[in-house]
Amino acid sequence: MAFVQVYVRLPAAVGSAALLPSGCCFVAFHTGFHRPLDDYHTCVVSHLRTVARAMNFVHRPLRIIHSEAATTFGGQEHRVFKEMVAMRERGHMMEAICQPGSMLRRKLEHEGFRVHLIEMDGIANYFKGLYKVASILHAARVDVLNTHSRRDTVIAAAAGRLVHTPLIVRTRHLAKPPGSLWTYTGLPHKVIGVSEYVRRQLLERGVAPDDVETVYTAVPKMHRLARSTLRIELGIAENAVVVVCVGHLRAQKGQSQLIDAMAQVMSTRHHVHLVFVGMGARLEALKRHAFELGVRDRTHFLGLRNDIANVLSGADIFALTTQFEALGTAFIEAQSCGLPVVGTRVGGVPEAVVDGVTALLVPFGDDPALVRALVRLVDDPGLCRTMGGSGARMVEQGLRFAIPRMAQNMEHAYLQWLATESVVQAGPAF
């Protein structure tokens, strides 16, 4: 069998080939029995072009722009913020495109990022935005455009196609199955899913396996504090049991169902308190619901907090009975602070916890199972400590949800896709 070996200098960031100790990359092609080597000239040249394209990007920082249409600041926008900070720390040039009233814009500008402001609502703003984004991408010679919502994708990704941006990526943050594939396969070149659950949904919808990668949303390092001010603030005794729930106050998060279950627990356990952290349209309705069930005096609503570690460190159990969840970073934060988790077996939640070890998961809507899980932990402090310790070790020792790992995986996905001829040479998709 004829055998050709080609050696080229290639940095370790290009992941498709095995590195030799010398730092050379080993690329080999088998030519078959008694076949002229010239028959394989095209194959060799194609592979070397791929290597050359990859080297063009790995030898310098990437120029990356993120776009986000949302004006609120939730889990999706927090992911964009953390990702941009972490990628800048890896040496890449990061900018963003936001709407003028965006909370993400303010946070990014506070951190020193350049943010381009584009109005994205309405047909007139669509065409204005298309022109402005195309000008931004062309002037900045952007390597990667990463979009996040449908609204910014139809503007920014379309503009990227017009000016031949080398790589356009859409990140899918939601747990619901995607609707139209146009903003996943028509406008972007590739897609990132924030969990394996999201990736499976994209594959089932028709996205090609080579066009989608999973990069988990990461959380900042967090540890249980030796002293928390939560109980002093709320006037809760040290020997009371505190169940805490962190999340946006909306129907899909299941806070009403949690109050229902906790009311049953609290009816015979007067030392149990429930604490909600977060804001949302359901705030007043949840307060009324707790009052109607007779547990308003032991149900506390803290609103938005910047001291999540302090709040979690003052609790004994974390509970979130969400209806659907792409991943559930609140579960990860709770485990990092040593709290056992009660949650629902939906979406990407099973990827964020270890059921039976760090968490007790129940089917969404199974109220008796939810009550049993809560009672099991409320009545067994030893089990709480064991499960909480296991969760803290899982987050501390693992790398899956570490911010540096998220940035490294995003960088790897970008470089891998930039090295493919089909992406770099792709033109307008319309």
Side-chain angles (χ1 to χ4, degrees), residues 342-364:
V342 174
T344 39
R345 195 178 294 106
V346 298
V349 174
E351 299 174 54
V353 303
V354 181
D355 191 11
V357 178
T358 71
L360 299 178
L361 298 184
V362 302
F364 177 79

Side-chain angles (χ1 to χ4, degrees), residues 118-185:
I118 307 288
E119 292 280 2
M120 301 184 191
D121 294 330
I123 189 66
N125 284 329
Y126 174 81
F127 289 105
K128 291 179 183 177
L130 194 67
Y131 173 78
K132 188 170 181 179
V133 174
S135 300
I136 292 168
L137 298 176
H138 177 72
R141 299 178 62 199
V142 170
D143 300 309
V144 181
L145 167 67
N146 197 317
T147 72
H148 294 271
S149 300
R150 183 183 183 278
R151 189 179 305 169
D152 61 271
T153 298
V154 297
I155 297 175
R161 287 283 190 163
L162 287 173
V163 299
H164 299 276
T165 298
L167 176 62
I168 304 170
V169 176
R170 167 80 185 269
T171 299
R172 174 69 177 178
H173 300 263
L174 303 181
K176 294 181 178 180
S180 170
L181 283 182
W182 180 242
T183 57
Y184 293 96
T185 60

Side-chain angles (χ1 to χ4, degrees), residues 66-269:
H66 284 263
S67 66
E68 175 55 78
T71 55
T72 57
F73 193 83
Q76 177 168 317
E77 295 73 40
H78 200 193
R79 156 87 183 231
V80 178
F81 178 79
K82 290 181 290 188
E83 190 175 311
M84 287 186 63
V85 172
M87 289 293 280
R88 182 174 64 180
E89 290 175 354
R90 293 183 70 84
H92 301 294
M93 301 168 63
M94 310 297 299
E95 297 181 9
I97 297 170
C98 297
Q99 296 207 76
S102 165
M103 293 177 65
L104 175 62
R105 167 230 178 157
R106 292 198 293 270
K107 288 182 176 291
L108 288 173
E109 288 181 338
H110 184 264
E111 290 294 322
F113 290 99
R114 183 179 184 184
V115 180
H116 306 272
L117 301 182
I118 307 288
E119 292 280 2
M120 301 184 191
D121 294 330
I123 189 66
N125 284 329
Y126 174 81
F127 289 105
K128 291 179 183 177
L130 194 67
Y131 173 78
K132 188 170 181 179
V133 174
S135 300
I136 292 168
L137 298 176
H138 177 72
R141 299 178 62 199
V142 170
D143 300 309
V144 181
L145 167 67
N146 197 317
T147 72
H148 294 271
S149 300
R150 183 183 183 278
R151 189 179 305 169
D152 61 271
T153 298
V154 297
I155 297 175
R161 287 283 190 163
L162 287 173
V163 299
H164 299 276
T165 298
L167 176 62
I168 304 170
V169 176
R170 167 80 185 269
T171 299
R172 174 69 177 178
H173 300 263
L174 303 181
K176 294 181 178 180
S180 170
L181 283 182
W182 180 242
T183 57
Y184 293 96
T185 60
L187 292 174
H189 301 119
K190 304 292 182 179
V191 188
I192 292 289
V194 299
S195 66
E196 280 297 314
Y197 173 79
V198 172
R199 182 176 186 273
R200 288 194 300 270
Q201 284 191 325
L202 291 164
L203 295 176
E204 291 168 2
R205 188 63 181 84
V207 179
D210 289 345
D211 290 343
V212 58
E213 291 284 347
T214 298
V215 178
Y216 286 105
T217 297
V219 299
K221 281 191 174 182
M222 195 178 297
H223 302 281
R224 189 172 186 86
L225 305 180
R227 295 182 62 85
S228 166
T229 63
L230 178 69
R231 293 176 186 250
I232 297 174
E233 175 186 339
L234 299 178
I236 298 175
E238 286 299 319
N239 62 350
V241 175
V242 176
V243 179
V244 64
C245 177
V246 180
H248 193 82
L249 303 182
R250 53 189 174 196
Q252 76 175 64
K253 293 295 185 180
Q255 287 102 348
S256 181
Q257 290 85 347
L258 180 58
I259 293 175
D260 287 337
M262 285 295 296
Q264 296 184 51
V265 177
M266 296 159 79
S267 65
T268 56
R269 296 164 180 82

